[in-house]
Amino acid sequence: MFLHTLTDRRLQACAWLTIALLASGCSTSKDEMLPHGDATMMDVWDQGTTGSAGSASSRLLLDARQTLRRPLDPQQTAMRNDNAAFTRTAQNEIYSQFKRLPNPDLVMYVYPHLAGTDPAPVPGYTTVFPFYQRVQYAMPGERTEDY
């Protein structure tokens, strides 16, 4: 009996000690966890992207990059734009090989009528819907223009 009571007291003491330790872990303040500083968001961003805020090595790296940049002359830009029509991209490959077939819109007028099991009046209205339910594409080489 004595041994049983001693074990119960030890278990209770361990339980209270565990609860006290867990509760003390939650007693940290917000300011202690996330201290306020004089740094702005831009300073934090610069520090995260360049390694250290305003360091001499990062400034030298930025200066070196700036000297390597050179503007495009107008002749190169014009040549690049001329070749754009001949450059293969996913978009112009799809549109040049598989042309969309025309899908005319149909305009329908619905006359005033009664609808439902308990007939309710419905006023007349106009609606528009496509002729084909889905978009249709022509096969490569199939003629899509008018004859």
Side-chain angles (χ1 to χ4, degrees), residues 102 143-147:
R143 190 170 173 172
T144 57
E145 61 273 352
D146 291 335
Y147 291 96

Side-chain angles (χ1 to χ4, degrees), residues 5 22 33 46 71 86 98-101 116 128 138:
T5 324
L22 289 174
M33 288 296 291
D46 288 339
F86 300 103
F98 300 99
K99 303 274 189 208
R100 284 181 98 162
L101 292 173
V128 176

